[in-house]
Amino acid sequence: MQVVLDGRYHAERSVVALGMFDGVHIGHRVLLQKGRALANRQDAPLVVCTFMEHPLTLIAPEKCPPLLTTFDERVRLMEALGVDVLYAMPFDRSVMDMLPEEYVGQLVRRFHPTDVVCGYNHTFGKKGEGTPALLAALGDALGFSTAVVPKITLKGQEVSSTAIRGWLRQGAVTRARAL
């Protein structure tokens, strides 16, 4: 797997998976497996586009949750799931203030995606105004398909980094590990 931290990566075509992927939990794995299947079908690399640090470190530091995994752990977990390129960019003011349409335009120019995969609750762009519905509409206009992974549950419990952190705060390590 190629890890890109300097922004110097362009693809002639790709499948792009969007998200923070903190913990690379079951829900993330479903999303990445969907991306891998699409990439295989398109004969294109699977590119994960993420951030080095959680966006809340800049947006609202007092609300920023502790990360479940280190960056190196995320790299190892994603490599095991068949990710071809991990494109991790810094989250700075220019990214924070970027309109959702600008953000997607940048993705298209850099990665030329045939497909973009995200979770049902993924947000992007200024003030998190970009939604999966907007991504799909932009994809229709810009020539890529959008796959939105629905909420993933395990035994009635939503699988999310927030839920995992909650179990860990309660000392329920076995429950957290199950997710």
Side-chain angles (χ1 to χ4, degrees):
M1 179 174 76
Q2 181 179 355
V3 178
V4 179
L5 304 177
D6 61 7
R8 295 183 184 176
Y9 178 83
H10 291 79
E12 291 182 23
R13 55 189 261 118
S14 68
V15 170
V16 175
L18 298 174
M20 187 62 207
F21 300 101
D22 180 25
V24 193
H25 56 61
I26 291 170
H28 294 144
R29 290 170 191 232
V30 169
L31 192 151
L32 293 171
Q33 289 165 350
K34 174 71 173 172
R36 180 74 265 158
L38 289 167
N40 289 346
R41 190 173 315 140
Q42 296 289 351
D43 193 27
L46 173 58
V47 177
V48 167
C49 186
T50 191
F51 297 109
M52 285 292 297
E53 59 281 326
H54 199 290
L56 284 176
T57 58
L58 181 61
I59 297 168
E62 70 284 356
K63 293 181 182 177
C64 188
L67 295 180
L68 296 170
T69 52
T70 67
F71 184 74
D72 289 341
E73 289 168 329
R74 282 196 287 161
V75 167
R76 284 192 302 278
L77 291 165
M78 287 190 201
E79 184 170 31
L81 290 167
V83 172
D84 296 305
V85 178
L86 176 59
Y87 184 89
M89 44 190 210
F91 188 84
D92 58 20
R93 290 221 173 267
S94 67
V95 175
M96 183 175 82
D97 293 337
M98 193 177 295
L99 294 174
E101 297 81 0
E102 291 176 276
Y103 181 74
V104 172
Q106 212 175 64
L107 293 175
V108 169
R109 286 187 298 279
R110 182 174 302 278
F111 304 122
H112 299 96
T114 59
D115 301 84
V116 176
V117 184
C118 70
Y120 76 98
N121 60 352
H122 182 71
T123 61
F124 57 95
K126 188 173 185 174
K127 296 182 181 177
E129 293 171 346
T131 63
L134 177 60
L135 185 63
L138 292 170
D140 290 344
L142 297 172
F144 62 84
S145 296
T146 303
V148 179
V149 175
K151 178 177 12 177
I152 304 297
T153 60
L154 180 67
K155 297 180 182 176
Q157 166 76 50
E158 179 178 0
V159 177
S160 70
S161 297
T162 301
I164 293 168
R165 281 187 205 91
W167 290 122
L168 290 172
R169 273 193 302 280
Q170 294 176 34
V173 176
T174 302
R175 283 186 148 170
R177 185 179 304 270
L179 302 183

